[in-house]
Amino acid sequence: MSLSKRTTRPLDHLVLPVDALEQARRRLNDLGFTVAEDARHPFGTENACVFFSDSTYLEPLAVASREECEAAALDGNAFVARDQAFRFRQGPQGLSAIVLGTEDAASDHMRFRAHGISGGDMLEFSRPMRLPDGREGLGSFRLAFAADLRSPDFFLFSCQRVRALPSERGALERHDNGVLGISEVVLSETNPTDFQYLLQEAVDEREVEAHSFGMDIETTNAKISVLSAAGMEAFFGRSVRSAERGLRGRAVVFRVADLEVTRAHFARNDIEFSEMGGRLIVPEMPGQGVIFAFGA
């Protein structure tokens, strides 16, 4: 594939496995996020999303029916199979997948296969969504998966909205903590550039910035960073095992309108946080399986 045909993809959303949606909703509400109503997938999982005005969102994901999930995984549903594998190895909390927007998931699937990074068969499905004003919509999606066998606890996929959910969701995009969107997604790995190829092809972006703590790759609307153990310590004050191999989701950095509004909200709700590099760093808690950082 020639470089002229590359089309850098936008960050669409992040998949955050949780133990239960009720627990995640409480934690996210305490942090100042507006959370959409629960929504059920046709293959046994369910979510309660947090939408942002930059068109990105968080997808806290729980298991609604273990029997349906197991049947879907046996039938080749890569989304469910990888969620089950993550929960088996890492527990029910964390960041398991980065999702990129696409206008043609079928072409992405063919490209992933051609480059040896396919993460499974394509998946097509529909699900309903209820808006705060009571309206209901039906969204239809087509997914293409990218993965690396050396990294069993993380994957990426491109998401095509075949039939978009209702776009007038302004009430859901207003958050008491002042968050406007996602500016950075942080992964960790002992040798970050070992997974440069996977990220380049998934994002469809050749340019990568390598630095002493790891590497960064830009989507059209957010940065994906892969940090070494030293990088996690330097930027987030968090120790991770330096011998641990494979990509692991570690942190989400949110763009806020006014950091003082965020700080005040945390004070009212007694949210534990530290400050590093002009950001408010909130450690992992039940219902919030990775570090949340608030700032630029």
Side-chain angles (χ1 to χ4, degrees):
M1 180 176 291
S2 66
L3 296 182
S4 62
K5 293 183 179 179
R6 288 190 180 271
T7 304
T8 306
R9 305 306 165 88
L11 175 68
D12 190 86
H13 68 278
L14 303 175
V15 180
L16 299 164
V18 297
D19 193 22
L21 292 186
E22 182 181 359
Q23 179 189 63
R25 183 182 297 279
R26 286 197 304 269
R27 175 59 178 172
L28 293 169
N29 284 159
D30 286 347
L31 288 168
F33 292 107
T34 301
V35 185
E37 289 196 17
D38 296 1
R40 179 78 175 264
H41 292 135
F43 33 75
T45 52
E46 61 182 353
N47 63 29
C49 296
V50 178
F51 297 100
F52 302 118
S53 58
D54 68 351
S55 297
T56 64
Y57 65 98
L58 302 178
E59 182 184 12
L61 184 75
V63 175
S65 169
R66 178 171 297 186
E67 293 77 12
E68 291 179 30
C69 285
E70 289 175 350
L74 288 172
D75 196 41
N77 184 315
F79 178 80
V80 174
R82 291 185 177 278
D83 180 66
Q84 287 187 323
F86 180 93
R87 293 173 190 275
F88 180 82
R89 288 173 48 83
Q90 299 297 335
Q93 310 270 350
L95 166 58
S96 62
I98 290 176
V99 188
L100 303 158
T102 185
E103 296 182 357
D104 191 347
S107 292
D108 287 353
H109 176 63
M110 293 174 62
R111 181 165 56 86
F112 296 161
R113 290 186 63 182
H115 288 282
I117 61 168
S118 174
D121 293 339
M122 282 184 56
L123 175 64
E124 297 187 46
F125 70 96
S126 299
R127 74 164 180 87
M129 176 184 173
R130 183 186 296 273
L131 295 176
D133 62 6
R135 289 182 300 130
E136 289 190 353
L138 183 70
S140 297
F141 308 90
R142 185 175 295 135
L143 313 182
F145 301 94
D148 188 319
L149 288 173
R150 300 172 302 168
S151 185
D153 300 320
F154 179 80
F155 66 109
L156 304 100
F157 60 91
S158 58
C159 176
Q160 177 185 356
R161 287 178 170 80
V162 179
R163 179 176 179 178
L165 289 164
S167 58
E168 296 178 8
R169 55 191 190 202
L172 291 174
E173 294 174 349
R174 291 191 290 272
H175 306 282
D176 290 344
N177 55 22
V179 169
L180 302 174
I182 299 171
S183 62
E184 183 180 358
V185 188
V186 181
L187 314 175
S188 72
E189 152 59 23
T190 300
N191 188 12
T193 56
D194 279 356
F195 294 92
Q196 175 176 328
Y197 180 72
L198 172 67
L199 294 174
Q200 283 176 311
E201 293 304 330
V203 178
D204 207 13
E205 169 58 60
R206 187 170 181 80
E207 294 300 319
V208 172
E209 181 181 352
H211 50 81
S212 58
F213 290 121
M215 68 175 184
D216 303 330
I217 184 167
E218 297 282 351
T219 71
T220 60
N221 58 348
K223 178 171 67 175
I224 299 173
S225 299
V226 186
L227 300 179
S228 64
M232 287 300 301
E233 184 71 42
F235 292 114
F236 296 96
R238 177 56 47 85
S239 297
V240 298
R241 291 180 293 174
S242 60
E244 189 173 67
R245 298 307 311 268
L247 295 171
R248 289 285 305 279
R250 295 295 186 184
V252 183
V253 181
F254 299 100
R255 185 182 302 105
V256 302
D258 185 338
L259 197 60
E260 292 310 309
V261 170
T262 312
R263 189 195 309 276
H265 180 85
F266 289 172
R268 287 193 299 271
N269 283 17
D270 197 25
I271 299 295
E272 175 190 352
F273 68 91
S274 59
E275 296 191 48
M276 293 188 69
R279 295 170 172 172
L280 308 184
I281 310 293
V282 179
E284 307 94 323
M285 292 287 288
Q288 172 215 328
V290 293
I291 297 166
F292 281 1
F294 300 78

